[in-house]
Amino acid sequence: MTSFTLEEIGRRARTAEEALRVLSASEKNKVLTISADYLVEHRKALLEANEKDVETAKANQMPPALVDRLLLTEERIAQMAEGLRQIAELEDPVGEVLSMKQRPNGLLIGQKRVPLGVIGIIYESRPNVTADAFGLCFKAGNAVVLRGGKDALYSNDAITKILPSSSRCNSAYHRYQP
């Protein structure tokens, strides 16, 4: 697992945001669809990584309900992939004009949806959130810094290594790990 300082993470996320800003809707949808396919294709590696997290959780006497939220199965991986496919099917929010008003002097003032830039998300030990957060932020043209719970460390690492990258969006998301 790779560790970065917060400053490095911020710089890389900013670089990613610049690359994401110029991606077309079709390019983003293609990356999301490929990401879904990769999750399913590499489910064995995901299950192996998740097994380490589950074993550690049980050894640490984590309550069964929390272990269940941590657990990945073939069905849950398929659901993660389906979630990314559904995000790809959504209308691209970037560039949508919400309203337009003309001022008395003729000046047009409107509201237009634009990416926020870099989003930071801290979440509990639910590996599916890693893919969901990536997908939603990516679709909206935002870079995302993910900080999942320590109990899902191996699972989250495996998910982020499986999600594809391209020369234009190789830094689409970054994760912080202690």
Side-chain angles (χ1 to χ4, degrees):
M1 289 177 236
T2 307
S3 285
F4 298 101
T5 66
L6 289 176
E7 188 174 326
E8 291 169 319
I9 291 168
R11 263 197 306 273
R12 292 180 62 164
R14 183 71 178 142
T15 300
E17 183 273 328
E18 292 169 4
L20 289 171
R21 192 179 321 141
V22 298
L23 291 178
S24 69
S26 63
E27 288 172 314
K28 289 187 281 186
N29 292 340
K30 183 177 180 180
V31 169
L32 288 166
T33 302
I34 290 170
S35 296
D37 293 342
Y38 278 20
L39 287 174
V40 173
E41 183 180 328
H42 298 286
R43 65 187 173 275
K44 183 178 178 184
L46 281 178
L47 292 171
E48 289 172 0
N50 182 252
E51 189 176 328
K52 292 178 188 176
D53 290 330
V54 170
E55 286 174 6
T56 302
K58 287 179 180 177
N60 292 335
Q61 299 177 351
M62 180 183 278
L66 296 180
V67 172
D68 183 61
R69 291 191 325 184
L70 176 64
L71 180 67
L72 287 179
T73 62
E74 294 226 6
E75 181 180 342
R76 288 181 180 178
I77 292 169
Q79 290 170 348
M80 288 167 48
E82 180 57 27
L84 291 178
R85 289 186 186 98
Q86 289 175 1
I87 293 169
E89 291 175 12
L90 296 173
E91 289 292 320
D92 192 342
V94 178
E96 179 182 357
V97 176
L98 302 174
S99 69
M100 188 67 69
K101 296 178 184 177
Q102 187 168 8
R103 304 287 299 160
N105 65 359
L107 179 66
L108 291 174
I109 298 177
Q111 292 179 323
K112 185 176 184 179
R113 290 186 173 168
V114 297
L116 294 171
V118 177
I119 296 175
I121 301 176
I122 300 171
Y123 54 101
E124 59 192 25
S125 298
R126 295 182 72 158
N128 60 306
V129 175
T130 302
D132 294 344
F134 158 74
L136 290 169
C137 291
F138 187 81
K139 178 72 173 201
N142 296 299
V144 61
V145 177
L146 300 173
R147 174 56 170 102
K150 66 181 178 182
D151 297 316
L153 184 64
Y154 293 105
S155 302
N156 290 336
D157 188 57
I159 291 167
T160 59
K161 286 179 179 173
I162 288 169
L163 294 173
S165 62
S166 72
S167 60
R168 293 186 67 195
C169 57
N170 64 351
S171 299
Y173 59 91
H174 297 283
R175 63 197 183 283
Y176 166 72
Q177 296 177 334

